Amino acid sequence: MILIVYISVAIIAISFLVLVIYLSKTLKSLQLTLNNVASTLSGLEKQMEGITEETTVLLQKTNTLADDLQQKSQSLNTVVDAVKDVGTSIQKFNGSIQNVSDSVTYQLHKNQDKVSQVVQWSNVVIDIWDMWKAKKVTQTTKENIKDKEPLI
């Protein structure tokens, strides 16, 4: 029976030895994996630092661009206000012209008979003027012909 105990202890010792060997291999494999993870994280940390620096520069440029856009927007607002003022002035001018036109139209309708008489008198004066000019031309022509007639 002692022999069985010795054999059992030897089997347990061999099993324990096999277990320790496999556990040792597993731990070595785990150590390699953890070393790879550590180096990957180290590289990732360096990349994150670079990304952070680039993001900071990009944010500064974005802020500068936003300030520039704000200034240009304010400048453009003054142009828009000026155009608005020009539009208001044109509307007032158009209103004034409309008032003058309405006033002239009203006065024409009110004084239509007088305007008609003025037009008729104007036509008479023009006709008299034309007759006078024609008469003068005729007299001048007669005088020129008379001057050119040979004296007999």
Side-chain angles (χ1 to χ4, degrees):
M1 178 111 175
I2 290 194
L3 184 63
I4 293 180
V5 173
Y6 286 130
I7 292 176
S8 294
V9 170
I11 290 177
I12 291 174
I14 291 173
S15 296
F16 187 71
L17 179 65
V18 170
L19 179 67
V20 168
I21 290 173
Y22 279 111
L23 188 59
S24 171
K25 285 184 179 182
T26 303
L27 289 175
K28 282 185 180 183
S29 175
L30 181 62
Q31 182 181 7
L32 288 175
T33 303
L34 287 176
N35 285 340
N36 286 336
V37 168
S39 66
T40 301
L41 287 177
S42 175
L44 185 61
E45 184 178 345
K46 289 178 184 177
Q47 288 178 354
M48 287 300 293
E49 287 175 6
I51 290 172
T52 302
E53 289 174 9
E54 288 179 14
T55 303
T56 303
V57 170
L58 182 61
L59 185 60
Q60 289 172 350
K61 287 182 180 180
T62 302
N63 288 337
T64 304
L65 182 60
D67 290 342
D68 187 42
L69 282 174
Q70 181 68 25
Q71 290 172 351
K72 288 181 180 175
S73 175
Q74 289 174 353
S75 298
L76 188 60
N77 284 341
T78 58
V79 171
V80 169
D81 290 340
V83 170
K84 182 180 175 187
D85 291 343
V86 168
T88 303
S89 298
I90 289 174
Q91 285 178 345
K92 288 179 182 177
F93 181 70
N94 285 343
S96 298
I97 290 176
Q98 185 65 38
N99 289 339
V100 168
S101 175
D102 291 344
S103 175
V104 168
T105 302
Y106 173 74
Q107 291 298 327
L108 280 175
H109 284 299
K110 183 178 174 185
N111 298 320
Q112 189 171 8
D113 292 336
K114 290 179 184 177
V115 170
S116 174
Q117 287 177 356
V118 167
V119 169
Q120 287 176 356
W121 280 107
S122 305
N123 286 337
V124 168
V125 168
I126 290 172
D127 287 343
I128 290 172
W129 176 260
D130 286 341
M131 282 192 225
W132 182 76
K133 281 175 68 177
K135 188 175 181 182
K136 191 173 181 183
V137 168
T138 305
Q139 284 178 354
T140 306
T141 306
K142 283 182 182 180
E143 287 177 6
N144 286 341
I145 291 174
K146 204 179 201 185
D147 288 341
K148 290 183 181 180
E149 285 182 7
L151 293 174
I152 305 181

